[in-house]
Amino acid sequence: MAAEIEPLYGALSEMANDIDQAAPFAAQRTVAAFGHQWTHIPSGKFMLSDPLFKGDVERIITEEEILIKSSWFPEKRVLDAGCGGGRWSYGLAKLGACVTAVDTNSSAIAATRAALEELKVEADFLQSDLETLHTKLPHASFDLVWSWGVLHHCVSFTRALKSIAMLVKQGGLIYLYLYGRESIDLATDIRIFKDRMTYNYLPTAEARDAFLLRMASGDERNIHHVHDIYAPLINRRFEFVEVRDILQSLGFRDVMRTIDHTEVWVRAVKGDDDTVIKTYGLPKGKRPYWFQRQ
């Protein structure tokens, strides 16, 4: 019987991770998962609750992630597309950027608003999916659209990317972090998908909490990270060349993998004006990267 069920999991995984339109069951569970996360388990390693990360986030953004000098950021209009708990909005605001934070979940907007209140800076907030964001900000034009760990969870990757790409001004930057196919082969991915299905369809909240604690080896500090792995049913993975080609088709140039890793960190310039890169670009950082800290 188990052997007969295996192809079903493969088909369900394919439906959940369709690049153009995730299956409704996966979309519903994924949106709900992040709503739960930012309400109930917002703290964790490399979040704003982590003092080492919080104190280093500006350097992480500039010297390891996007590779743009900190002197570029003051007064720049930056869209945090999928702000989550607000860690990147916080860092971008500390760098002096004028931040617009967007997320599909009200709990994420509330968490980001609370994070930025500490800095006493003005920011704009909008609850919206990314697929239709350009229609809700029709006259907006951003110097930087930042989307870290979000697009691979969206109901439609292609529509979400096209929407946020439209909001980058000519000569502006887009910056993405996406799960990489090099990190996990397809067979392993499907095995983890089976665990995600198990978690999502456990009958009680207590059972789901126990599942996460078990997967975190009993360490409550790692529950936030474990939830990222097992709660969202939409977890697409990409090759860098695949993302590069899509960005180029949307009018971006100088597409660069900013971190040498099996995951995909990518920066690109909209149009042919590469003044920002020539004037403010930084060389690649070196291992160990911030996320490899023990």
Side-chain angles (χ1 to χ4, degrees):
M1 179 64 71
E4 295 174 359
I5 293 175
E6 288 302 310
L8 177 59
Y9 279 112
L12 289 172
S13 177
E14 186 174 304
M15 293 167 63
N17 295 299
D18 185 278
I19 192 172
D20 293 320
Q21 184 71 32
F25 78 92
Q28 180 182 15
R29 294 280 174 163
T30 299
V31 172
F34 286 110
H36 172 79
Q37 183 176 55
W38 302 122
T39 302
H40 298 288
I41 45 175
S43 300
K45 193 174 182 180
F46 306 131
M47 307 305 294
L48 291 177
S49 58
D50 177 346
L52 292 179
F53 175 85
K54 185 176 183 179
D56 200 29
V57 64
E58 298 147 273
R59 187 199 63 80
I60 289 170
I61 289 172
T62 57
E63 297 181 15
E64 294 198 41
E65 291 278 335
I66 197 169
L67 304 182
I68 295 292
K69 294 176 183 177
S70 59
S71 57
W72 177 79
F73 287 86
E75 304 303 319
K76 293 297 186 297
R77 298 193 67 212
V78 176
L79 172 66
D80 188 357
C83 58
R87 58 176 171 172
W88 301 117
S89 285
Y90 177 89
L92 292 161
K94 283 200 76 176
L95 286 164
C98 302
V99 174
T100 297
V102 175
D103 203 281
T104 192
N105 278 298
S106 60
S107 56
I109 295 296
T112 302
R113 189 187 296 275
L116 294 188
E117 282 176 357
E118 176 186 320
L119 301 178
K120 296 180 170 41
V121 298
E122 291 188 7
D124 293 320
F125 302 91
L126 175 63
Q127 185 179 348
S128 173
D129 61 79
L130 297 189
E131 288 86 347
T132 62
L133 184 58
H134 67 286
T135 68
K136 297 165 186 173
L137 297 169
H139 305 297
S141 179
F142 292 92
D143 298 286
L144 166 64
V145 170
W146 173 285
S147 191
W148 201 99
V150 179
L151 290 172
H152 45 233
H153 296 305
C154 286
V155 176
S156 172
F157 172 84
T158 51
R159 285 193 286 118
L161 179 53
K162 287 178 182 177
S163 181
I164 66 172
M166 292 172 65
L167 296 170
V168 183
K169 76 175 191 179
Q170 290 295 314
L173 305 174
I174 193 168
Y175 186 73
L176 312 173
Y177 162 64
L178 301 166
Y179 293 154
R181 174 48 65 202
E182 297 172 61
S183 297
I184 297 177
D185 61 42
L186 184 58
T188 303
D189 214 0
I190 293 174
R191 178 181 59 76
I192 296 173
F193 178 79
K194 291 167 64 176
D195 290 334
R196 292 188 188 113
M197 290 288 287
T198 297
Y199 169 80
N200 271 273
Y201 290 95
L202 286 170
T204 66
E206 291 76 14
R208 291 189 291 276
D209 290 344
F211 177 99
L212 294 178
L213 187 60
R214 183 171 70 255
M215 291 300 183
S217 301
D219 188 345
E220 294 186 352
R221 296 171 300 176
N222 289 329
I223 287 178
H224 180 100
H225 173 66
V226 168
H227 183 273
D228 269 348
I229 296 172
Y230 293 104
L233 286 180
I234 305 173
N235 273 273
R236 303 179 183 92
R237 290 188 172 273
F238 296 89
E239 300 280 355
F240 168 72
V241 293
E242 179 183 6
V243 179
R244 180 200 63 197
D245 291 348
I246 294 171
L247 286 172
Q248 289 177 342
S249 74
L250 294 174
F252 289 88
R253 303 291 178 264
D254 293 313
V255 183
M256 175 187 182
R257 195 170 195 167
T258 60
I259 292 178
D260 292 323
H261 193 271
T262 55
E263 304 283 59
V264 178
W265 282 264
V266 57
R267 182 194 73 197
V269 181
K270 191 169 188 178
D272 297 321
D273 183 355
D274 60 355
T275 302
V276 174
I277 304 302
K278 288 182 175 179
T279 307
Y280 295 96
L282 290 170
K284 283 189 178 183
K286 297 180 181 179
R287 294 182 176 88
Y289 299 114
W290 63 271
F291 51 86
Q292 296 170 324
R293 171 169 59 83
Q294 299 298 316

PDB file of all heavy atoms in Angstrom, residues 24-51:
ATOM      1  N   PRO A  24      -5.170  25.030  -4.526  1.00  0.00           N
ATOM      2  CA  PRO A  24      -5.858  25.745  -3.437  1.00  0.00           C
ATOM      3  C   PRO A  24      -5.576  25.203  -2.047  1.00  0.00           C
ATOM      4  O   PRO A  24      -5.432  25.977  -1.095  1.00  0.00           O
ATOM      5  CB  PRO A  24      -7.335  25.602  -3.819  1.00  0.00           C
ATOM      6  CG  PRO A  24      -7.323  25.480  -5.310  1.00  0.00           C
ATOM      7  CD  PRO A  24      -6.100  24.688  -5.628  1.00  0.00           C
ATOM      8  N   PHE A  25      -5.478  23.864  -1.908  1.00  0.00           N
ATOM      9  CA  PHE A  25      -5.232  23.321  -0.570  1.00  0.00           C
ATOM     10  C   PHE A  25      -3.883  23.793  -0.035  1.00  0.00           C
ATOM     11  O   PHE A  25      -3.738  24.122   1.148  1.00  0.00           O
ATOM     12  CB  PHE A  25      -5.317  21.786  -0.584  1.00  0.00           C
ATOM     13  CG  PHE A  25      -4.087  21.092  -1.133  1.00  0.00           C
ATOM     14  CD1 PHE A  25      -3.065  20.687  -0.291  1.00  0.00           C
ATOM     15  CD2 PHE A  25      -3.958  20.850  -2.495  1.00  0.00           C
ATOM     16  CE1 PHE A  25      -1.936  20.049  -0.797  1.00  0.00           C
ATOM     17  CE2 PHE A  25      -2.835  20.211  -3.002  1.00  0.00           C
ATOM     18  CZ  PHE A  25      -1.812  19.807  -2.159  1.00  0.00           C
ATOM     19  N   ALA A  26      -2.881  23.873  -0.902  1.00  0.00           N
ATOM     20  CA  ALA A  26      -1.553  24.305  -0.484  1.00  0.00           C
ATOM     21  C   ALA A  26      -1.517  25.805  -0.211  1.00  0.00           C
ATOM     22  O   ALA A  26      -0.883  26.266   0.742  1.00  0.00           O
ATOM     23  CB  ALA A  26      -0.523  23.937  -1.543  1.00  0.00           C
ATOM     24  N   ALA A  27      -2.203  26.562  -1.055  1.00  0.00           N
ATOM     25  CA  ALA A  27      -2.242  28.021  -0.879  1.00  0.00           C
ATOM     26  C   ALA A  27      -2.884  28.388   0.446  1.00  0.00           C
ATOM     27  O   ALA A  27      -2.356  29.216   1.211  1.00  0.00           O
ATOM     28  CB  ALA A  27      -3.004  28.655  -2.032  1.00  0.00           C
ATOM     29  N   GLN A  28      -4.011  27.789   0.744  1.00  0.00           N
ATOM     30  CA  GLN A  28      -4.722  28.101   1.975  1.00  0.00           C
ATOM     31  C   GLN A  28      -3.874  27.774   3.194  1.00  0.00           C
ATOM     32  O   GLN A  28      -3.769  28.569   4.139  1.00  0.00           O
ATOM     33  CB  GLN A  28      -6.036  27.330   2.027  1.00  0.00           C
ATOM     34  CG  GLN A  28      -6.863  27.585   3.281  1.00  0.00           C
ATOM     35  CD  GLN A  28      -8.126  26.758   3.313  1.00  0.00           C
ATOM     36  OE1 GLN A  28      -8.290  25.802   2.561  1.00  0.00           O
ATOM     37  NE2 GLN A  28      -9.040  27.125   4.196  1.00  0.00           N
ATOM     38  N   ARG A  29      -3.269  26.585   3.194  1.00  0.00           N
ATOM     39  CA  ARG A  29      -2.471  26.165   4.351  1.00  0.00           C
ATOM     40  C   ARG A  29      -1.219  27.020   4.514  1.00  0.00           C
ATOM     41  O   ARG A  29      -0.789  27.312   5.624  1.00  0.00           O
ATOM     42  CB  ARG A  29      -2.096  24.689   4.186  1.00  0.00           C
ATOM     43  CG  ARG A  29      -3.275  23.743   4.249  1.00  0.00           C
ATOM     44  CD  ARG A  29      -3.694  23.469   5.678  1.00  0.00           C
ATOM     45  NE  ARG A  29      -4.913  22.675   5.740  1.00  0.00           N
ATOM     46  CZ  ARG A  29      -5.320  22.020   6.831  1.00  0.00           C
ATOM     47  NH1 ARG A  29      -4.588  22.080   7.936  1.00  0.00           N
ATOM     48  NH2 ARG A  29      -6.443  21.341   6.828  1.00  0.00           N
ATOM     49  N   THR A  30      -0.617  27.442   3.403  1.00  0.00           N
ATOM     50  CA  THR A  30       0.617  28.226   3.485  1.00  0.00           C
ATOM     51  C   THR A  30       0.357  29.615   4.051  1.00  0.00           C
ATOM     52  O   THR A  30       1.086  30.089   4.927  1.00  0.00           O
ATOM     53  CB  THR A  30       1.276  28.308   2.098  1.00  0.00           C
ATOM     54  OG1 THR A  30       1.594  26.984   1.657  1.00  0.00           O
ATOM     55  CG2 THR A  30       2.547  29.149   2.141  1.00  0.00           C
ATOM     56  N   VAL A  31      -0.679  30.290   3.567  1.00  0.00           N
ATOM     57  CA  VAL A  31      -1.018  31.609   4.104  1.00  0.00           C
ATOM     58  C   VAL A  31      -1.340  31.509   5.595  1.00  0.00           C
ATOM     59  O   VAL A  31      -0.880  32.316   6.405  1.00  0.00           O
ATOM     60  CB  VAL A  31      -2.199  32.220   3.325  1.00  0.00           C
ATOM     61  CG1 VAL A  31      -2.687  33.499   4.008  1.00  0.00           C
ATOM     62  CG2 VAL A  31      -1.793  32.521   1.887  1.00  0.00           C
ATOM     63  N   ALA A  32      -2.103  30.493   5.965  1.00  0.00           N
ATOM     64  CA  ALA A  32      -2.457  30.307   7.373  1.00  0.00           C
ATOM     65  C   ALA A  32      -1.225  30.007   8.229  1.00  0.00           C
ATOM     66  O   ALA A  32      -1.130  30.456   9.378  1.00  0.00           O
ATOM     67  CB  ALA A  32      -3.475  29.181   7.506  1.00  0.00           C
ATOM     68  N   ALA A  33      -0.272  29.267   7.660  1.00  0.00           N
ATOM     69  CA  ALA A  33       0.938  28.914   8.409  1.00  0.00           C
ATOM     70  C   ALA A  33       1.705  30.155   8.833  1.00  0.00           C
ATOM     71  O   ALA A  33       2.143  30.278   9.988  1.00  0.00           O
ATOM     72  CB  ALA A  33       1.830  28.005   7.566  1.00  0.00           C
ATOM     73  N   PHE A  34       1.878  31.095   7.902  1.00  0.00           N
ATOM     74  CA  PHE A  34       2.630  32.294   8.253  1.00  0.00           C
ATOM     75  C   PHE A  34       1.823  33.228   9.147  1.00  0.00           C
ATOM     76  O   PHE A  34       2.397  33.937   9.987  1.00  0.00           O
ATOM     77  CB  PHE A  34       3.116  32.998   6.985  1.00  0.00           C
ATOM     78  CG  PHE A  34       4.249  32.269   6.329  1.00  0.00           C
ATOM     79  CD1 PHE A  34       4.066  31.619   5.116  1.00  0.00           C
ATOM     80  CD2 PHE A  34       5.484  32.196   6.937  1.00  0.00           C
ATOM     81  CE1 PHE A  34       5.095  30.920   4.514  1.00  0.00           C
ATOM     82  CE2 PHE A  34       6.533  31.496   6.351  1.00  0.00           C
ATOM     83  CZ  PHE A  34       6.332  30.860   5.140  1.00  0.00           C
ATOM     84  N   GLY A  35       0.514  33.243   8.998  1.00  0.00           N
ATOM     85  CA  GLY A  35      -0.301  33.997   9.935  1.00  0.00           C
ATOM     86  C   GLY A  35      -0.120  33.492  11.348  1.00  0.00           C
ATOM     87  O   GLY A  35       0.003  34.272  12.305  1.00  0.00           O
ATOM     88  N   HIS A  36      -0.066  32.170  11.489  1.00  0.00           N
ATOM     89  CA  HIS A  36       0.170  31.560  12.803  1.00  0.00           C
ATOM     90  C   HIS A  36       1.575  31.880  13.309  1.00  0.00           C
ATOM     91  O   HIS A  36       1.772  32.216  14.482  1.00  0.00           O
ATOM     92  CB  HIS A  36      -0.003  30.045  12.700  1.00  0.00           C
ATOM     93  CG  HIS A  36       0.385  29.300  13.928  1.00  0.00           C
ATOM     94  ND1 HIS A  36      -0.425  29.202  15.046  1.00  0.00           N
ATOM     95  CD2 HIS A  36       1.531  28.617  14.244  1.00  0.00           C
ATOM     96  CE1 HIS A  36       0.182  28.494  15.982  1.00  0.00           C
ATOM     97  NE2 HIS A  36       1.368  28.123  15.517  1.00  0.00           N
ATOM     98  N   GLN A  37       2.549  31.806  12.421  1.00  0.00           N
ATOM     99  CA  GLN A  37       3.941  32.009  12.826  1.00  0.00           C
ATOM    100  C   GLN A  37       4.170  33.392  13.430  1.00  0.00           C
ATOM    101  O   GLN A  37       4.750  33.519  14.511  1.00  0.00           O
ATOM    102  CB  GLN A  37       4.870  31.808  11.634  1.00  0.00           C
ATOM    103  CG  GLN A  37       6.357  31.928  11.982  1.00  0.00           C
ATOM    104  CD  GLN A  37       7.243  31.633  10.794  1.00  0.00           C
ATOM    105  OE1 GLN A  37       7.099  32.259   9.745  1.00  0.00           O
ATOM    106  NE2 GLN A  37       8.136  30.682  10.923  1.00  0.00           N
ATOM    107  N   TRP A  38       3.687  34.425  12.739  1.00  0.00           N
ATOM    108  CA  TRP A  38       3.966  35.783  13.221  1.00  0.00           C
ATOM    109  C   TRP A  38       3.115  36.163  14.420  1.00  0.00           C
ATOM    110  O   TRP A  38       3.444  37.106  15.136  1.00  0.00           O
ATOM    111  CB  TRP A  38       3.802  36.783  12.084  1.00  0.00           C
ATOM    112  CG  TRP A  38       4.712  36.454  10.946  1.00  0.00           C
ATOM    113  CD1 TRP A  38       4.359  36.187   9.649  1.00  0.00           C
ATOM    114  CD2 TRP A  38       6.136  36.300  10.996  1.00  0.00           C
ATOM    115  NE1 TRP A  38       5.468  35.884   8.900  1.00  0.00           N
ATOM    116  CE2 TRP A  38       6.571  35.949   9.701  1.00  0.00           C
ATOM    117  CE3 TRP A  38       7.090  36.429  12.015  1.00  0.00           C
ATOM    118  CZ2 TRP A  38       7.913  35.719   9.394  1.00  0.00           C
ATOM    119  CZ3 TRP A  38       8.421  36.194  11.710  1.00  0.00           C
ATOM    120  CH2 TRP A  38       8.816  35.852  10.415  1.00  0.00           C
ATOM    121  N   THR A  39       2.076  35.395  14.688  1.00  0.00           N
ATOM    122  CA  THR A  39       1.267  35.629  15.887  1.00  0.00           C
ATOM    123  C   THR A  39       1.803  34.869  17.090  1.00  0.00           C
ATOM    124  O   THR A  39       1.893  35.421  18.198  1.00  0.00           O
ATOM    125  CB  THR A  39      -0.193  35.205  15.635  1.00  0.00           C
ATOM    126  OG1 THR A  39      -0.713  35.940  14.531  1.00  0.00           O
ATOM    127  CG2 THR A  39      -1.054  35.467  16.864  1.00  0.00           C
ATOM    128  N   HIS A  40       2.215  33.612  16.875  1.00  0.00           N
ATOM    129  CA  HIS A  40       2.489  32.722  18.001  1.00  0.00           C
ATOM    130  C   HIS A  40       3.963  32.355  18.182  1.00  0.00           C
ATOM    131  O   HIS A  40       4.380  32.055  19.307  1.00  0.00           O
ATOM    132  CB  HIS A  40       1.660  31.445  17.870  1.00  0.00           C
ATOM    133  CG  HIS A  40       0.183  31.689  17.889  1.00  0.00           C
ATOM    134  ND1 HIS A  40      -0.482  32.060  19.037  1.00  0.00           N
ATOM    135  CD2 HIS A  40      -0.748  31.638  16.902  1.00  0.00           C
ATOM    136  CE1 HIS A  40      -1.772  32.216  18.767  1.00  0.00           C
ATOM    137  NE2 HIS A  40      -1.959  31.974  17.475  1.00  0.00           N
ATOM    138  N   ILE A  41       4.745  32.342  17.116  1.00  0.00           N
ATOM    139  CA  ILE A  41       6.156  31.958  17.263  1.00  0.00           C
ATOM    140  C   ILE A  41       7.059  32.905  16.460  1.00  0.00           C
ATOM    141  O   ILE A  41       7.800  32.478  15.575  1.00  0.00           O
ATOM    142  CB  ILE A  41       6.395  30.496  16.845  1.00  0.00           C
ATOM    143  CG1 ILE A  41       5.685  30.154  15.520  1.00  0.00           C
ATOM    144  CG2 ILE A  41       5.997  29.536  17.934  1.00  0.00           C
ATOM    145  CD1 ILE A  41       5.991  28.757  15.012  1.00  0.00           C
ATOM    146  N   PRO A  42       7.005  34.214  16.767  1.00  0.00           N
ATOM    147  CA  PRO A  42       7.789  35.171  15.989  1.00  0.00           C
ATOM    148  C   PRO A  42       9.277  35.175  16.341  1.00  0.00           C
ATOM    149  O   PRO A  42      10.094  35.673  15.568  1.00  0.00           O
ATOM    150  CB  PRO A  42       7.155  36.512  16.356  1.00  0.00           C
ATOM    151  CG  PRO A  42       6.647  36.300  17.755  1.00  0.00           C
ATOM    152  CD  PRO A  42       6.174  34.865  17.792  1.00  0.00           C
ATOM    153  N   SER A  43       9.621  34.642  17.507  1.00  0.00           N
ATOM    154  CA  SER A  43      11.002  34.716  17.978  1.00  0.00           C
ATOM    155  C   SER A  43      11.806  33.515  17.505  1.00  0.00           C
ATOM    156  O   SER A  43      11.263  32.434  17.260  1.00  0.00           O
ATOM    157  CB  SER A  43      11.037  34.775  19.506  1.00  0.00           C
ATOM    158  OG  SER A  43      10.351  35.913  19.974  1.00  0.00           O
ATOM    159  N   GLY A  44      13.112  33.731  17.363  1.00  0.00           N
ATOM    160  CA  GLY A  44      13.981  32.637  16.962  1.00  0.00           C
ATOM    161  C   GLY A  44      15.351  33.139  16.573  1.00  0.00           C
ATOM    162  O   GLY A  44      15.621  34.348  16.565  1.00  0.00           O
ATOM    163  N   LYS A  45      16.209  32.215  16.238  1.00  0.00           N
ATOM    164  CA  LYS A  45      17.558  32.555  15.804  1.00  0.00           C
ATOM    165  C   LYS A  45      17.498  33.364  14.513  1.00  0.00           C
ATOM    166  O   LYS A  45      16.718  33.057  13.609  1.00  0.00           O
ATOM    167  CB  LYS A  45      18.351  31.272  15.578  1.00  0.00           C
ATOM    168  CG  LYS A  45      19.852  31.481  15.429  1.00  0.00           C
ATOM    169  CD  LYS A  45      20.548  30.128  15.364  1.00  0.00           C
ATOM    170  CE  LYS A  45      22.056  30.287  15.275  1.00  0.00           C
ATOM    171  NZ  LYS A  45      22.747  28.970  15.209  1.00  0.00           N
ATOM    172  N   PHE A  46      18.308  34.412  14.450  1.00  0.00           N
ATOM    173  CA  PHE A  46      18.391  35.308  13.296  1.00  0.00           C
ATOM    174  C   PHE A  46      17.125  36.138  13.094  1.00  0.00           C
ATOM    175  O   PHE A  46      16.877  36.638  12.000  1.00  0.00           O
ATOM    176  CB  PHE A  46      18.718  34.539  12.009  1.00  0.00           C
ATOM    177  CG  PHE A  46      19.949  33.689  12.100  1.00  0.00           C
ATOM    178  CD1 PHE A  46      19.932  32.371  11.684  1.00  0.00           C
ATOM    179  CD2 PHE A  46      21.127  34.196  12.617  1.00  0.00           C
ATOM    180  CE1 PHE A  46      21.063  31.579  11.761  1.00  0.00           C
ATOM    181  CE2 PHE A  46      22.279  33.421  12.710  1.00  0.00           C
ATOM    182  CZ  PHE A  46      22.236  32.111  12.285  1.00  0.00           C
ATOM    183  N   MET A  47      16.349  36.274  14.142  1.00  0.00           N
ATOM    184  CA  MET A  47      15.216  37.181  14.124  1.00  0.00           C
ATOM    185  C   MET A  47      15.570  38.391  14.991  1.00  0.00           C
ATOM    186  O   MET A  47      16.644  38.445  15.594  1.00  0.00           O
ATOM    187  CB  MET A  47      13.952  36.489  14.627  1.00  0.00           C
ATOM    188  CG  MET A  47      13.620  35.179  13.925  1.00  0.00           C
ATOM    189  SD  MET A  47      13.501  35.325  12.130  1.00  0.00           S
ATOM    190  CE  MET A  47      12.067  36.366  11.986  1.00  0.00           C
ATOM    191  N   LEU A  48      14.683  39.367  15.085  1.00  0.00           N
ATOM    192  CA  LEU A  48      14.981  40.547  15.900  1.00  0.00           C
ATOM    193  C   LEU A  48      15.058  40.220  17.382  1.00  0.00           C
ATOM    194  O   LEU A  48      15.610  41.008  18.164  1.00  0.00           O
ATOM    195  CB  LEU A  48      13.941  41.639  15.647  1.00  0.00           C
ATOM    196  CG  LEU A  48      13.994  42.273  14.253  1.00  0.00           C
ATOM    197  CD1 LEU A  48      12.869  43.288  14.087  1.00  0.00           C
ATOM    198  CD2 LEU A  48      15.349  42.934  13.994  1.00  0.00           C
ATOM    199  N   SER A  49      14.542  39.058  17.771  1.00  0.00           N
ATOM    200  CA  SER A  49      14.693  38.614  19.158  1.00  0.00           C
ATOM    201  C   SER A  49      16.104  38.114  19.445  1.00  0.00           C
ATOM    202  O   SER A  49      16.469  37.910  20.610  1.00  0.00           O
ATOM    203  CB  SER A  49      13.693  37.490  19.450  1.00  0.00           C
ATOM    204  OG  SER A  49      13.898  36.394  18.559  1.00  0.00           O
ATOM    205  N   ASP A  50      16.893  37.918  18.406  1.00  0.00           N
ATOM    206  CA  ASP A  50      18.280  37.458  18.511  1.00  0.00           C
ATOM    207  C   ASP A  50      19.180  38.689  18.548  1.00  0.00           C
ATOM    208  O   ASP A  50      19.362  39.368  17.542  1.00  0.00           O
ATOM    209  CB  ASP A  50      18.593  36.592  17.292  1.00  0.00           C
ATOM    210  CG  ASP A  50      20.038  36.104  17.245  1.00  0.00           C
ATOM    211  OD1 ASP A  50      20.881  36.630  17.992  1.00  0.00           O
ATOM    212  OD2 ASP A  50      20.321  35.199  16.438  1.00  0.00           O
ATOM    213  N   PRO A  51      19.757  39.022  19.716  1.00  0.00           N
ATOM    214  CA  PRO A  51      20.516  40.275  19.820  1.00  0.00           C
ATOM    215  C   PRO A  51      21.725  40.334  18.899  1.00  0.00           C
ATOM    216  O   PRO A  51      22.090  41.418  18.430  1.00  0.00           O
ATOM    217  CB  PRO A  51      20.927  40.322  21.299  1.00  0.00           C
ATOM    218  CG  PRO A  51      20.803  38.921  21.794  1.00  0.00           C
ATOM    219  CD  PRO A  51      19.708  38.294  21.001  1.00  0.00           C
TER     220      PRO A  51
END
